[in-house]
Amino acid sequence: MKKILWICSRLPSPLFSGDALYSAGLLKALASSEATSVTLVGTRRTDDPIGEHILNLPNTLCLDAPPMRSSGLQSLLSPLPRDAFNLSTPELQSSLATLLQQEWDWIVIDHAYSSGLLSGILQHRKRASICYIAHNAEGSIRPQIASSFGNPLRQAFMRLDAGKYQKLENRLLQVADAVTCISDEDASYFQRFSKNVHVVPPIYLGQVSPPHSIELTCPRALLLLGSFEWVAKQRNLELIVENLMPALQRNEISLNIVGAVPQHLRDRFSRFRQHLEFHGRVDDISPFVSASRGGLVADTVGGGFKLKVLDYVFARLPIFGLRNALAGTTAGEQSAMFVADGMENLAEIIVRKVDDLAALNSKGASLFKLFSARFGLEAGTRRLTKVFL
């Protein structure tokens, strides 16, 4: 049995963000292999206890440290990016130092923000191989995210942080014995730095809805799922509302947004309140799925696979999206979606197709069939086994 130390500085609990969902899926798949023993270490995201979806995993021990404390401006003086600096808490450093006294077959660094303690890991790794679990091609997307902000001061801070992420990721790629990433697009980027790159798509952990049809009684509405606490996610939300809502409102199509959204953004778009509703964070999305004719994927800032795609598909909801926002999906899968190359064209497609019930139901069923074969637990376990065994 392979002995694995899994460093996930932001532990995947609760499951309200993409990085948590992706990490939790990988851990569940690895636990299903019965050929590994995993010790997971990281900081809690909140003061709440770690969820049973982590604590009940077979052959998995979770060691948690208290949530990080904001560093304020201290991170500006560090060579580490802000998240990596903040997450390298004294409590996590202490736990990791104790764990590194043991012998490990693999040390996993889950997400670039978990590599703030890389120097200590390299010093005490002994014979362990290192695997970098990439959630995004940080060296590529961070500069793009920084340039998307119009505020010069904010853009300068984010460009500085992006440069730190690039340097940290490059160093991590130089020492990693294996790299996993989410999509073929990200693999093309990482293959410039590493010869051992594996594509491991997300593993769906949620409920699978039974077959159902969208009927005329279903509201003329779309659903947008997300966690909008990160500035890049907030910028995406701003661009989506600014570019799509005028056309949606003119055509009496509503947009339901489910996820944590700062109050200042809610207030900013109050002029659309007749057709734009913020529902906050919820435990059960099924009522909003039932009240929508499609899921929206229209992120223009940042890259990577959008995990809300899985939520839509396994809820049997058709997808309206931007081609660039659907990274990690195949041409065949995109043919079963309503895809556009720009916001204006996307708005036109939504207006034209939202009442085409036959097309909505046909594409939703086709996409469900395609995704069921590619994003299940069995497929994820098989892919991870190739990395570690």
Side-chain angles (χ1 to χ4, degrees), residues 301-353:
V301 177
F305 187 91
K306 309 298 184 293
L307 285 164
K308 56 178 162 260
V309 171
L310 298 182
D311 290 308
Y312 297 149
V313 173
F314 286 99
R316 300 181 186 268
L317 199 61
I319 288 178
F320 291 87
L322 293 175
R323 195 175 308 280
N324 288 343
L326 293 163
T329 60
T330 66
E333 289 162 353
Q334 290 186 22
S335 71
M337 307 177 193
F338 299 98
V339 180
D341 290 313
M343 285 287 198
E344 184 176 351
N345 184 222
L346 180 58
E348 293 172 355
I349 290 175
I350 293 170
V351 171
R352 191 170 70 250
K353 292 295 185 179

Side-chain angles (χ1 to χ4, degrees), residues 56-69:
N56 289 344
L57 289 175
N59 300 316
T60 303
L61 172 66
C62 180
L63 303 176
D64 61 291
M68 71 176 190
R69 297 173 293 276

Side-chain angles (χ1 to χ4, degrees), residues 79-209:
L80 294 174
R82 186 170 180 265
D83 285 341
F85 179 82
N86 286 344
L87 288 166
S88 302
T89 65
E91 295 88 349
L92 180 58
Q93 291 181 44
S94 177
S95 292
L96 191 56
T98 301
L99 289 167
L100 287 171
Q101 295 175 16
Q102 302 180 35
E103 296 283 346
W104 303 95
D105 294 299
W106 283 92
I107 297 175
V108 171
I109 299 176
D110 185 353
H111 201 296
Y113 60 46
S114 298
S115 56
L117 303 176
L118 182 60
S119 295
I121 294 168
L122 294 176
Q123 185 177 355
H124 300 288
R125 66 187 285 189
K126 301 182 178 70
R127 298 181 180 180
S129 299
I130 291 178
C131 176
Y132 170 39
I133 305 288
H135 288 232
N136 290 298
E138 305 291 352
S140 174
I141 71 161
R142 294 278 173 171
Q144 296 174 21
I145 293 170
S147 64
S148 72
F149 288 87
N151 183 300
L153 183 59
R154 181 172 228 180
Q155 188 177 113
F157 278 124
M158 294 196 69
R159 283 189 183 278
L160 175 63
D161 204 56
K164 293 180 180 180
Y165 256 114
Q166 285 180 309
K167 291 180 181 178
L168 184 61
E169 183 184 66
N170 287 345
R171 186 183 179 208
L172 184 51
L173 291 168
Q174 288 172 7
V175 301
D177 299 286
V179 176
T180 76
C181 58
I182 294 178
S183 67
D184 290 333
E185 291 87 349
D186 285 352
S188 296
Y189 173 84
F190 288 120
Q191 283 165 354
R192 295 156 46 191
F193 307 94
S194 173
K195 295 181 179 179
N196 189 19
V197 178
H198 302 259
V199 176
V200 183
I203 297 156
Y204 183 66
L205 298 175
Q207 297 295 316
V208 176
S209 297

Side-chain angles (χ1 to χ4, degrees), residues 242-255:
E242 289 168 354
N243 285 281
L244 295 183
M245 278 311 303
L248 298 187
Q249 186 156 274
R250 281 196 306 272
N251 290 274
E252 298 186 346
I253 301 169
S254 298
L255 179 62

